[in-house]
Amino acid sequence: MAGDTYITVVGNLTAHPEVRTTSNGGTVVNLTIASTPRQFDRNSGQWEDGETLFMRCSAWDTQYHPTASNIQSSLAKGMRVIAQGRLVQRSYQDRDGNNRTVVELRLDEIGPALTRNTAQVTRNGNNGGSFGSSSNGGYQSAPGAASAPMGRQRPAKSQQATAQDPWSSTGPGGSFGSSRPTGEFGGSGDEPEF
């Protein structure tokens, strides 16, 4: 939309994506990306970390795009990701009655950063917007590759991929963990559910 502020953030997920179902039946995923800039200090001759930005993000399932479900199936704590979306601001009242305002990134796209990960993509089937089938998209390890980070299991690739689908072929690699461990970070527990 005109006037929206679009940004791209590269960083590591601070926790596993949290999926919730709202009272009206919508599915939303919340996650936090920690993005730390690095600068070279010429005096010391070393790279130094700058101040970390913790960007709270959300995405929704829609009739045609199961974004929240795909994020839950594909991404895990510690993974390095590239996220793009719109900055949105919302206000609410916390449990103590204080008015709060938060700025978060409403995700349009997100995926693993391939500078430090490898991924194998499984396309969602054209199922007319129906979620919950075995064809939910995601990233998976190739046979013989390292297992998912933090012991999370990934969906197996559908055996029904057609030969005409150029995305259905198995590629090399497939490990998708981050090479840098991260600690526990998170957003405010005061925020209301959507």
Side-chain angles (χ1 to χ4, degrees):
M1 288 189 188
D4 285 345
T5 303
Y6 287 88
I7 66 168
T8 301
V9 177
V10 178
N12 293 61
L13 294 183
T14 61
H16 295 302
E18 303 167 13
V19 174
R20 291 186 292 201
T21 303
T22 63
S23 58
N24 64 0
T27 303
V28 62
V29 65
N30 293 304
L31 54 98
T32 301
I33 300 173
S35 179
T36 306
R38 298 199 75 201
Q39 299 174 354
F40 186 75
D41 185 349
R42 292 183 182 185
N43 295 332
S44 67
Q46 296 183 14
W47 286 94
E48 296 179 357
D49 287 342
E51 191 169 332
T52 302
L53 167 71
F54 294 96
M55 179 58 65
R56 194 77 176 138
C57 306
S58 65
W60 293 80
D61 278 349
T62 66
Q63 181 179 2
Y64 301 107
H65 304 285
T67 307
S69 300
N70 287 346
I71 289 171
Q72 181 188 28
S73 299
S74 305
L75 303 177
K77 175 182 174 180
M79 290 182 70
R80 188 152 183 86
V81 296
I82 302 171
Q84 188 268 332
R86 294 167 279 126
L87 285 179
V88 294
Q89 177 176 304
R90 60 185 175 90
S91 299
Y92 66 95
Q93 216 172 37
D94 67 13
R95 294 177 188 136
D96 299 329
N98 301 318
N99 291 326
R100 302 268 181 162
T101 301
V102 294
V103 175
E104 66 182 18
L105 182 62
R106 187 71 44 87
L107 295 172
D108 291 330
E109 296 288 344
I110 187 170
L114 298 180
T115 55
R116 298 184 184 161
N117 303 296
T118 60
Q120 183 176 1
V121 177
T122 303
R123 291 180 66 175
N124 286 355
N126 188 3
N127 52 13
S130 171
F131 310 135
S133 69
S134 62
S135 64
N136 275 347
Y139 301 96
Q140 67 181 27
S141 294
S147 63
M150 303 298 170
R152 295 235 340 194
Q153 297 296 317
R154 298 288 174 233
K157 186 174 179 182
S158 173
Q159 301 294 18
Q160 301 171 359
T162 63
Q164 295 123 356
D165 187 357
W167 295 98
S168 67
S169 63
T170 302
S175 174
F176 49 83
S178 172
S179 61
R180 263 180 32 184
T182 61
E184 286 290 333
F185 304 108
S188 171
D190 293 343
E191 293 184 30
E193 291 189 25
F194 289 93

